[in-house]
Amino acid sequence: MEENQTTSLNISDDFYGYSSASARELPEPDVHIITSAALRIPAHSSILASASPVLENIIDRPRKHRSSERVIPILGVPYDAVVSFVRFLYSFRCSEEEMEKYGIHLLALSHVYSVPQLKQSCTKVLGDWLTMENVVDVLQLARMCDAPNLYLKCMKLVANHFKAVEKTEGWKFLQDHDPWLELEILHFMDEAESRRKRSRRLREEQSLYLQLSEAMECLEHICTEGCTSVGPYDMEPTEKKGPCSKFSTCQGLQLLIKHFATCKKRVNGGCSRCNRMWQLLRLHSSICEHHDCCRVPLCRQFKLRMQQDNKKDDARWRLLVRKVVSAKAMSSLSLPKRKREELQETNNNNNNHGIRSFRL
């Protein structure tokens, strides 16, 4: 009865993706694939079984009658998509036109019949052709077909262009028929926003640590070599001296030092700018490894005070010191090798001049 309801397809020599000569060498087909259009595609059981373990199991099932014909129903997708699928099983090739027309169907077939090569190709092509209109449909398929890369790409597109996707018919259908997937998308968007906030906060913190690290370098530079208007006590600053490479930071630090040297409120702790300078000096002392010969004011005093008080710095301060040291190390590694060697030589050649005051 089934044979009367189906129509056998006349197969040309190049149907299987082989050359004409190779196609003629194939034996007679011993199995037929029945499509939803009631058309029969003749095929070879040995080739189908070698390309798909699922088809192999179907072919190896015992038949009710030994003389009955082998048939494999592949229903629920367009006939031409089944033709492209069968052709891929023979040649492991699929044209761009076939992918464009039947990519979604071929992905479903590749998943159902365990053809990983075709699944990989479909995943890549569908990922490249995502649009606002089809992203929800592709997302649902990627979820059902266990295609994580395509699923993640769809999720990112939905999250980044949610306002546009929300207006599509696919999204309205999703809301009515798949609330769990809608919940997954909203949860993914919430996590993505949280990640963006964390990344932004980390970037801001890292920028602060880099600024503090640069301020420490400028402080040592001012106290050792002097800059445009502030320098060590035994060195006369000159306006003719050109600005250093980090003058934007160095200039602000020089203005802070000038204020610190002349402010009358600092004794009672009533000046916020002076308190900032005290913190910078304390931070320098916490990271300085040459306090015996350091020319930065109060470096040794801060070290001795910490030892005499026999108190450890609070956890937040220790964390700040570690972050600044790390930022300084990363900044140093980003310099060329020759520059790093020159910087190290300069640090090693610092003479022991004791604690000096600034000359303004």
Side-chain angles (χ1 to χ4, degrees):
M1 187 72 178
E2 183 184 40
E3 294 182 7
N4 295 332
Q5 295 175 345
T6 60
T7 303
S8 183
L9 179 69
N10 292 324
I11 301 300
S12 61
D13 288 342
D14 63 347
F15 171 81
Y16 302 111
Y18 289 174
S19 63
S20 298
S22 301
R24 292 192 185 97
E25 294 176 1
L26 290 173
E28 287 294 322
D30 59 348
V31 64
H32 281 81
I33 296 173
I34 308 298
T35 72
S36 56
L39 293 174
R40 298 157 57 91
I41 302 175
H44 302 83
S45 59
S46 59
I47 293 179
L48 298 183
S50 64
S52 166
V54 176
L55 290 174
E56 182 181 16
N57 291 334
I58 294 174
I59 291 170
D60 290 342
R61 288 175 186 169
R63 288 172 285 175
K64 292 182 180 179
H65 304 286
R66 185 170 295 277
S67 60
S68 62
E69 184 184 26
R70 286 179 175 176
V71 294
I72 301 174
I74 299 182
L75 310 174
V77 295
Y79 158 75
D80 290 329
V82 180
V83 171
S84 298
F85 175 67
V86 174
R87 185 179 291 118
F88 184 89
L89 298 181
Y90 277 81
S91 64
F92 290 96
R93 293 192 303 271
C94 202
S95 68
E96 185 175 340
E97 181 181 359
E98 289 174 320
M99 279 290 186
E100 184 176 359
K101 287 183 178 179
Y102 313 115
I104 290 179
H105 305 295
L106 290 174
L107 175 59
L109 291 171
S110 68
H111 175 70
V112 171
Y113 294 100
S114 297
V115 186
Q117 299 93 328
L118 179 58
K119 188 173 184 178
Q120 184 178 3
S121 299
C122 292
T123 298
K124 184 179 184 307
V125 170
L126 290 175
D128 293 338
W129 291 345
L130 284 177
T131 65
M132 304 301 168
E133 295 297 329
N134 70 9
V135 64
V136 174
D137 296 331
V138 177
L139 175 60
Q140 290 177 297
L141 182 63
R143 183 167 170 250
M144 289 188 295
C145 294
D146 189 24
N149 292 337
L150 183 59
Y151 175 87
L152 182 59
K153 197 166 187 177
C154 291
M155 278 290 199
K156 288 181 177 179
L157 181 62
V158 172
N160 293 334
H161 303 87
F162 183 70
K163 293 294 183 183
V165 174
E166 196 177 21
K167 299 176 182 178
T168 63
E169 292 297 324
W171 179 259
K172 295 174 183 177
F173 180 87
L174 177 71
Q175 287 182 305
D176 294 335
H177 298 87
D178 198 346
W180 287 109
L181 182 54
E182 180 186 6
L183 185 62
E184 279 183 34
I185 294 172
L186 297 177
H187 182 63
F188 178 88
M189 291 171 59
D190 184 59
E191 287 190 337
E193 181 61 26
S194 298
R195 285 193 298 270
R196 280 193 290 268
K197 289 181 178 179
R198 285 196 301 269
S199 298
R200 185 163 53 248
R201 185 173 65 252
L202 289 174
R203 285 195 300 269
E204 291 172 353
E205 290 177 356
Q206 188 62 23
S207 175
L208 173 62
Y209 300 139
L210 286 172
Q211 290 175 19
L212 288 173
S213 173
E214 189 172 289
M216 294 299 99
E217 294 179 13
C218 290
L219 184 59
E220 293 182 24
H221 156 67
I222 292 171
C223 298
T224 304
E225 305 168 351
C227 201
T228 54
S229 59
V230 180
Y233 182 79
D234 56 354
M235 184 180 297
E236 186 73 29
T238 174
E239 295 291 343
K240 295 180 180 179
K241 187 172 183 178
C244 61
S245 59
K246 299 177 181 178
F247 187 66
S248 58
T249 300
C250 196
Q251 185 182 33
L253 194 54
Q254 290 181 71
L255 294 174
L256 188 61
I257 291 171
K258 286 183 176 182
H259 171 83
F260 181 74
T262 58
C263 182
K264 296 180 180 179
K265 293 182 180 180
R266 62 178 175 147
V267 177
N268 299 323
C271 178
S272 60
R273 296 180 66 187
C274 290
N275 288 336
R276 194 178 308 128
M277 189 68 211
W278 281 113
Q279 290 174 342
L280 290 175
L281 292 172
R282 180 190 174 193
L283 180 59
H284 164 81
S285 178
S286 299
I287 68 176
C288 181
E289 299 177 354
H290 309 286
H291 55 273
D292 290 334
C293 60
C294 181
R295 304 196 68 178
V296 176
L298 305 177
C299 179
R300 183 174 177 80
Q301 281 87 333
F302 272 115
K303 292 278 188 184
L304 292 174
R305 183 176 178 180
M306 289 172 56
Q307 294 173 2
Q308 291 171 358
D309 292 345
N310 196 26
K311 292 181 180 179
K312 292 185 177 180
D313 294 328
D314 60 84
R316 292 181 64 184
W317 181 263
R318 292 199 303 273
L319 178 62
L320 174 64
V321 171
R322 286 199 301 270
K323 294 291 188 180
V324 173
V325 170
S326 175
K328 183 177 181 180
M330 295 300 294
S331 177
S332 176
L333 289 174
S334 66
L335 295 173
K337 182 179 179 181
R338 183 177 177 181
K339 188 69 176 177
R340 293 202 304 268
E341 292 174 350
E342 291 176 356
L343 184 61
Q344 183 64 36
E345 184 179 355
T346 301
N347 292 337
N348 293 336
N349 290 338
N350 285 338
N351 298 321
N352 185 359
H353 292 281
I355 303 302
R356 303 286 183 136
S357 299
F358 295 110
R359 179 183 289 274
L360 306 178

